[in-house]
Amino acid sequence: MAFIMGSGSGKVLPEPSKNGCFCLFHSVVNFKKQEADGEECKEKRQAWFWRRRSDRRAFRGGISEGVGDSVHLEEPVTSPNAKFRAKFDPRVTARYEIKALIGRGSFSRVVRAEHRRTHQPFAIKLLEVKGQEGHEACQTELGVLRRVNHSNVIRLAEVFQTQHRVYLVLELATGGELLERVVSRGTFRERDATKALMMVSSGLRYLHMLGVIHRDLKPENLLYYHPGQDSRLIITDFGLAYAERSCRVKDWAVRTLCGTPEYLAPEMLARRPCSSAVDMWALGVITYILLSGSLPFDQSSRPRLFRAILRGSYSFHGDSWRSVSTLAKGFIDRLLTLDPERRMTAEETLQHPWLVSMAACSSNKNLHRSISRNLQRRARHGPPPRCPSSAPGSRISTRSGSTTYFKG
Ligand code: PIT
């Protein structure tokens, strides 16, 4: 999220729904065009995890190296600091010292800031609000953030609004993204995965109880609060979130397609009514990545990718899965279930034997080497070519049928 925030390149943005509920700023994806753009699409997807990691590292310079008393933004991009600083309303800078840019997107920037009186660190997200759509999207995001209060969900401290800008003062997470931590550790075992997933599930259970659907859950949107081992994991980026208060939960997805393609639930692609189950599907994708370093649906063009998702065609083939327990694979199967009614809820994940038994029953093998190798390989070469092991016959082809056509 913090690298390519808002309408990042890989993101599918939503269409306005009939009842006027928007969840992001603009841009409607034309799927017919995307079929033709398959190759370009592949190229864009290639850098995936590693490109974003290194981008973020650049932005993080300010955090890790410290900035002393400087009020200058340490912004390692070409835009002049003065121009960027000018975007901050004097009311904001009167209260907060802007320290460093830590993330940026088309319509937003996140900076590290310090409260001038208390010296408490915060993250400030600056949102450029353009037009009616932007305004409505921003209000949805704000509405969600104002309602939430949970240790695994980013907390909002205060908000400043001007006609064209909104400044969200948020708790500062400095522990890095979920996958960054997996890679930087020397070891990674199933129990480490379950620990992270418990926290995400707990945050999701809370959000879903409130009638909030995140709709863009992915590893980049999961940040550790601090660099220590015992840090909590926080769900961030509610730019695409859907709140029950503004529209009926079962109502919204027929025309609305938003999120990051690899994490999109089949019912979204099929333009079926959607619910909080779309987040649970994304959690299944995240779990798969956490345990293998690869994506369950990794086709090289968007149409192929979407067809695979709609069929639920993923497998546990390959070396990295040999060391993974049956319980863990069962957990993924219960999330990557085509029928959203049969998919595990957040509450159910917290009761799943794999999460519950954690250290006791989970495989104790160190998965770190194969996960890192897969992540690095993917960063270098992009998604793998279609190989015999992923041919239809040997795939784990799943469950109830789903519509397999795309509506333009
Ligand atoms: C941090 C550190 C960081 C990014 C963020 C917070 C961003 C948080 C965020 C972004 C959103 C949103 C809510 C929270 O709706 O690197 O402490 O778009």
Side-chain angles (χ1 to χ4, degrees):
M1 169 263 333
F3 315 138
I4 308 176
M5 296 194 50
S7 55
S9 58
K11 226 174 233 185
V12 177
L13 299 174
E15 300 168 43
S17 66
K18 274 194 187 121
N19 55 10
C21 176
F22 292 85
C23 65
L24 239 203
F25 306 95
H26 74 170
S27 179
V28 174
V29 173
N30 179 338
F31 287 97
K32 289 258 160 57
K33 183 171 181 302
Q34 280 176 11
E35 298 231 9
D37 288 351
E39 281 312 299
E40 189 198 325
C41 168
K42 178 181 169 186
E43 217 179 284
K44 276 191 193 147
R45 286 153 33 89
Q46 278 187 351
W48 190 53
F49 170 61
W50 291 93
R51 183 189 56 202
R52 293 173 181 197
R53 257 191 98 199
S54 52
D55 285 358
R56 176 173 261 192
R57 274 229 196 88
F59 290 126
R60 281 236 179 93
I63 287 187
S64 52
E65 284 151 32
V67 286
D69 292 320
S70 167
V71 291
H72 298 281
L73 282 173
E74 301 138 277
E75 191 183 9
V77 287
T78 46
S79 67
N81 285 350
K83 191 179 155 205
F84 179 65
R85 274 208 311 280
K87 286 179 185 278
F88 281 84
D89 190 88
R91 286 177 304 159
V92 179
T93 50
R95 188 133 21 147
Y96 295 93
E97 187 179 343
I98 309 301
K99 294 285 197 180
L101 180 67
I102 56 177
R104 63 183 299 174
S106 312
F107 298 94
S108 64
R109 302 277 189 279
V110 180
V111 294
R112 184 169 63 90
E114 190 178 287
H115 193 281
R116 289 187 186 277
R117 189 171 48 79
T118 64
H119 298 291
Q120 210 186 324
F122 287 96
I124 300 182
K125 180 179 174 182
L126 184 165
L127 268 162
E128 306 270 357
V129 185
K130 298 220 169 82
Q132 180 67 11
E133 287 173 40
H135 183 74
E136 286 179 29
C138 181
Q139 290 312 311
T140 305
E141 183 170 355
L142 201 49
V144 168
L145 288 169
R146 279 195 165 125
R147 287 166 70 192
V148 295
N149 181 14
H150 187 276
S151 57
N152 299 117
V153 178
I154 195 99
R155 286 193 175 104
L156 180 71
E158 63 175 326
V159 181
F160 297 85
Q161 293 195 62
T162 65
Q163 197 185 354
H164 297 296
R165 289 190 186 121
V166 174
Y167 305 86
L168 306 174
V169 182
L170 301 150
E171 66 182 331
L172 179 66
T174 58
E177 291 173 11
L178 176 60
L179 291 185
E180 283 180 326
R181 185 164 292 204
V182 172
V183 171
S184 65
R185 291 171 57 127
T187 59
F188 191 77
R189 299 174 203 282
E190 280 189 30
R191 92 167 74 99
D192 300 309
T194 57
K195 223 169 125 187
L197 291 165
M198 278 248 181
M199 293 191 270
V200 183
S201 291
S202 178
L204 283 177
R205 177 176 58 180
Y206 172 78
L207 290 171
H208 294 169
M209 239 170 50
L210 287 185
V212 172
I213 308 170
H214 187 283
R215 302 209 295 188
D216 197 21
L217 205 65
K218 54 184 170 180
E220 298 93 306
N221 289 341
L222 301 172
L223 302 181
Y224 281 99
Y225 183 61
H226 64 69
Q229 288 249 355
D230 57 340
S231 170
R232 60 193 163 96
L233 192 55
I234 307 178
I235 301 173
T236 67
D237 199 341
F238 289 84
L240 292 182
Y242 179 92
E244 195 175 12
R245 215 158 39 146
S246 50
C247 318
R248 281 200 3 255
V249 160
K250 287 263 173 191
D251 216 16
W252 55 266
V254 184
R255 292 187 66 238
T256 304
L257 198 52
C258 62
T260 302
E262 287 82 357
Y263 301 81
L264 286 178
E267 63 270 26
M268 276 188 103
L269 293 175
R271 316 295 176 98
R272 289 186 171 159
C274 293
S275 66
S276 54
V278 300
D279 287 343
M280 302 316 296
W281 176 276
L283 189 69
V285 176
I286 292 169
T287 309
Y288 190 103
I289 297 170
L290 260 187
L291 294 176
S292 69
S294 55
L295 284 155
F297 307 103
D298 197 18
Q299 281 62 19
S300 55
S301 77
R302 214 166 259 188
R304 272 202 218 124
L305 172 73
F306 288 173
R307 274 195 291 273
I309 295 173
L310 284 163
R311 283 197 294 260
S313 300
Y314 65 95
S315 79
F316 296 122
H317 291 301
D319 279 355
S320 44
W321 288 105
R322 242 169 252 146
S323 315
V324 175
S325 69
T326 312
L327 220 45
K329 291 174 188 164
F331 182 84
I332 294 173
D333 281 337
R334 291 284 290 110
L335 289 171
L336 298 183
T337 295
L338 285 177
D339 181 354
E341 300 287 333
R342 291 177 51 223
R343 200 173 298 151
M344 268 197 295
T345 62
E347 178 72 50
E348 285 166 348
T349 57
L350 289 165
Q351 281 155 28
H352 189 279
W354 185 52
L355 285 204
V356 172
S357 62
M358 232 209 287
C361 291
S362 289
S363 156
N364 200 28
K365 298 217 177 74
N366 184 5
L367 309 171
H368 182 265
R369 190 184 293 181
S370 71
I371 295 170
S372 298
R373 191 189 51 220
N374 285 341
L375 289 170
Q376 284 173 33
R377 186 185 294 157
R378 195 180 194 288
R380 275 197 301 271
H381 306 298
R386 285 170 68 81
C387 57
S389 67
S390 62
S394 56
R395 276 183 190 157
I396 299 182
S397 184
T398 43
R399 302 158 281 259
S400 57
S402 183
T403 319
T404 53
Y405 62 88
F406 304 113
K407 256 168 95 184

